[in-house]
Amino acid sequence: LVRILAADRVGNLWMGLSNETYVNQKHQEPRSMIGLVKFDGTNWTLYNNQNSPLHKDNYVNAIAIDKKGNKWIATASHRIGDETYALGGAGILKFDDKEWTAYTKENTPLPDNRINWLGLDNNDNIWFHHILEHGNSIVVAFWGVFNPNGLVGIPVAPTAVHERLTPFED
């Protein structure tokens, strides 16, 4: 099952795949995924926790491709309904078609390694979402901006949903 799909400028398809049907139809979430797959029109290449920094559950929540062709991956497994199983993530992953870079809470200011979503703005800043859970409750829905080269073109960046932004002053 294709869960997430992105296309790069040369026509390659990048997909987050699952090999199981959805466990909970309400949330439409599989327990684990196969990993990230590239299809170039002829060949299939699988990236999983054996040949990339993906977490052992191989979850791919979002794929964004920047202007240089780098693939950015959000990784976080999910709890499904009242089911309990290991929740994990590998942070924000970057793949440049040769090398992987893992941006995690251990080597960056990211709040957690479970990143639920990411997307790119016009300056290739990575906007991301993380949900902090405690038990079966969501404690904080965190939105942030990440750029390994420093922020460009954003005078004020949100740090969490509960904070109020003030206008930027010259």
Side-chain angles (χ1 to χ4, degrees):
L1 300 171
V2 175
R3 186 160 185 276
I4 302 296
L5 176 69
D8 63 25
R9 290 183 181 208
V10 296
N12 296 315
L13 296 178
W14 295 85
M15 299 167 265
L17 296 181
S18 173
N19 62 353
E20 67 180 353
T21 58
Y22 296 119
V23 175
N24 181 318
Q25 291 301 318
K26 179 180 176 187
H27 298 287
Q28 306 239 332
E29 301 285 345
R31 279 190 189 91
S32 65
M33 294 182 68
I34 296 169
L36 178 69
V37 175
K38 172 188 170 186
F39 180 62
D40 66 8
T42 304
N43 301 304
W44 296 85
T45 306
L46 171 65
Y47 301 97
N48 59 26
N49 65 351
Q50 302 297 309
N51 61 358
S52 79
L54 281 170
H55 186 265
K56 66 182 179 179
D57 58 22
N58 292 311
Y59 237 91
V60 175
N61 282 327
I63 305 166
I65 303 172
D66 67 20
K67 294 172 187 167
K68 294 179 181 176
N70 296 311
K71 282 46 124 194
W72 295 91
I73 315 296
T75 65
S77 57
H78 298 110
R79 176 180 294 111
I80 300 167
D82 293 331
E83 293 185 37
T84 303
Y85 60 95
L87 297 173
I92 294 175
L93 302 183
K94 174 185 164 189
F95 184 55
D96 66 5
D97 295 323
K98 293 179 184 149
E99 292 185 31
W100 288 91
T101 305
Y103 298 98
T104 67
K105 69 179 182 177
E106 289 79 22
N107 63 11
T108 71
L110 285 174
D112 197 88
N113 290 338
R114 292 174 292 158
I115 304 300
N116 296 79
W117 175 87
L118 60 72
L120 299 170
D121 65 19
N122 290 336
N123 294 315
D124 281 344
N125 294 302
I126 299 125
W127 293 76
F128 70 93
H129 179 254
H130 159 70
I131 296 175
L132 177 62
E133 298 176 78
H134 182 72
N136 285 331
S137 301
I138 293 174
V139 178
V140 174
F142 182 97
W143 287 91
V145 181
F146 176 77
N147 186 325
N149 301 317
L151 294 178
V152 180
I154 300 178
V156 178
T159 57
V161 243
H162 65 273
E163 290 189 13
R164 194 177 104 204
L165 297 176
T166 56
F168 179 68
E169 299 179 73
D170 292 313

